[in-house]
């Protein structure tokens, strides 16, 4: 019995080593830029063990994403439940919902674990690729549905489509910031830093919240864009840059 437990522990250690090596490798080189052999060499294990534990590189990527998504999902659900308790019989405010969604990811990024930075870089790359969002939809979508439903209750006058778009705008803003490309350092000449997660969260929560509330207000107030007869897509607005 003791020997069986030792084998299980070795298997768990091997699996964890492969996941860590894959996460870093995918973050640094992209999914297509790294092979299973490269990953196992970084992990210090035989290639056969990667095949044994994960079967394919796609399955390995799925597990890399899933293990951290589950942690963030649980953190977010707990934060949202706390917001509900604090709101009493009312729905939590839009700002409380936004904070419950964003804060857990930034807390993880700020804990000093390099693995979370690798993960953030990885999902920033994959989030724009339909192939990979479909691959991870089973672990990503439950969180999305949870918060979309919360926003729907907090924005009762917003059209349903606006709530979905609003969630995507919130997600896209977060992805852009956690990608930590160094662009904000260049644009601000060092005034802002990608690794200043507290400052990013402090600015992002009111920014996203105001945008969501404006979407609801737009549904019940005269639409300025329509009154001005501006094109619906905004594609011809003066000064609009394709590469913003």
């Amino acid at each position: 019995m003791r020997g069986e437990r030792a084998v299980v522990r070795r298997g768990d250690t091997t699996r964890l080593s492969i996941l860590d090596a894959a996460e870093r490798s995918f973050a640094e080189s992209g999914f297509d830029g790294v092979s299973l052999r490269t990953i196992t060499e970084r992990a210090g294990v035989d290639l056969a063990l990667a095949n044994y534990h994960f079967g394919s590189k796609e399955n390995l990527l799925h597990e890399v994403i899933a293990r951290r998504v589950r942690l963030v999902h649980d953190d977010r659900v707990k934060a949202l439940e706390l917001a509900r308790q604090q709101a009493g019989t009312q729905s939590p405010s839009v700002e409380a919902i936004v904070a419950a969604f964003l804060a857990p990811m930034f807390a993880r990024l700020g804990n000093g674990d390099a693995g979370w930075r690798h993960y953030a870089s990885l999902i920033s790359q994959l989030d724009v690729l339909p192939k990979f969002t479909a691959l991870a939809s089973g672990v990503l979508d439950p969180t999305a549905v949870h918060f979309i439903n919360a926003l729907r209750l907090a924005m009762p006058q917003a059209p349903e489509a606006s709530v979905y778009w609003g969630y995507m705008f919130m997600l896209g803003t977060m992805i852009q910031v956690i990608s930590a490309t160094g662009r904000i350092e260049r644009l601000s000449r060092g005034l802002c830093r990608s690794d200043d997660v507290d400052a990013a969260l402090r600015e992002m929560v009111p920014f996203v919240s105001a945008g969501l509330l404006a979407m609801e207000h737009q549904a019940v107030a005269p639409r300025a864009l329509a009154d001005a007869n501006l094109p619906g897509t905004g594609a011809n607005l003066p000064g609009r840059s394709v590469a913003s």
Side-chain angles (χ1 to χ4, degrees), residues 80 117 121 145 149 169 174 187 215 233:
L80 183 57
R117 279 293 178 188
S121 176
V145 171
N149 288 337
F169 297 154
M174 184 197 74
L187 290 174
M215 295 176 81
T233 63

Side-chain angles (χ1 to χ4, degrees), residues 198-239:
D198 292 334
L201 182 64
R202 187 170 60 248
E203 301 288 350
M204 198 184 308
V205 170
F207 173 83
V208 173
S209 301
L212 288 165
L213 290 170
M215 295 176 81
E216 182 180 32
H217 177 72
Q218 178 178 264
V220 295
R223 298 188 57 161
L225 288 179
D227 292 345
N229 294 317
L230 293 175
T233 63
N236 298 318
L237 290 177

